[in-house]
Amino acid sequence: MIRPIDIARKLNISTSALRHYESWGLVPPPERKANGYRIYTETHVAYFECIRAMYPGFGMELIRKIMPLLHENKITEALWLVNEAQANLYHERQRAEQVLKALKMSDSDEFLPKKKQAWFTIREVAKVVGVPSSTLRHWEKEGMVIPERDEENGYRKYSRADIRKLLIIRTLRAAVYSLDTVKEMIAEFDNNNIAQAEKIAKDSLLYMDHLITEQLRGMYYLYKLCAKIASDKKAPFLIKKDDKTNSSLYE
């Protein structure tokens, strides 16, 4: 048996945080003593360590998705969700680099859609920027990018300049900047204060570089947890290809 206080001290969190993780279904329900005290095991410790290690790089939303899968030994399914999150970060960084390039080449259309049309629909812009149409409408409501309207049907008409600004907004929001900060940055861009806009875009890239290192640490603890779960269940976890027989061997 491992006492909750010992786990809490090891992870530098409160025992109430351990209970919250348990109530959220992030760790398997522990057995109880006759007096009601929880009986935590080494497997619970591995869960708690993994949760704490993954939180900085992946966030609680993903953790709450994958932990129940691990309870059911659906390790591969959980790993694909994590892989998706890592791919999303990669695409976010690409967008950040795209924005920085756009700021350095403010008169260039290189980063914009290949189509040379002057106006784009909200659906086309949503695809380019990588956000739902509802997000574009929300940013419009916040006064960050207000597209023109078609006089005949009232549909939104986004210009190439609008798309450039939306890409910048998308990058800043991905880097967890508040809406007020994003509005300030866009105002700097509109006032041709490109140097300040570039600084914020570069800070976004640095933040994402920090995130990927945090994700690596989280993946290390996820690997340890998966191995522990597989060991407890006496189930295969790692699959290794045998070069001689071309068969799969379980470790």
Side-chain angles (χ1 to χ4, degrees), residues 23 25 31 39 53 64-65 75 107 143 158-159 174-175 188 191 203 213 219 228 243:
S23 66
E31 295 183 8
I39 303 175
R64 295 184 76 157
K65 288 180 181 178
I75 293 176
D107 294 329
Y158 289 88
S159 68
E188 298 287 357
N191 293 329
D203 287 346
T213 59
M219 286 296 293
K228 178 61 177 171
D243 293 332

Side-chain angles (χ1 to χ4, degrees), residues 4 8 12 15 17 27 72 80 83-84 103 106 132 139 141 165 169 172 178 185 198 202 219 237 243:
N12 195 29
T15 53
V27 300
E72 300 174 19
W80 278 116
N83 180 261
E84 181 183 16
L103 291 170
S106 57
W139 291 343
K141 183 179 178 181
K165 288 171 65 176
I169 294 169
L172 296 174
S178 67
M185 189 271 188
E198 283 186 11
K202 288 177 180 178
M219 286 296 293
F237 171 42
D243 293 332

Side-chain angles (χ1 to χ4, degrees), residues 160-171:
R160 303 179 84 79
D162 289 336
I163 297 176
R164 181 182 290 111
K165 288 171 65 176
L166 287 167
L167 284 168
I168 295 169
I169 294 169
R170 179 69 178 87
T171 298

Side-chain angles (χ1 to χ4, degrees), residues 203-222:
D203 287 346
S204 297
L205 287 169
L206 290 175
Y207 175 76
M208 292 178 198
D209 287 345
H210 167 72
L211 274 184
I212 198 170
T213 59
E214 290 289 351
Q215 287 188 352
L216 178 62
R217 180 172 180 272
M219 286 296 293
Y220 169 72
Y221 280 90
L222 178 61

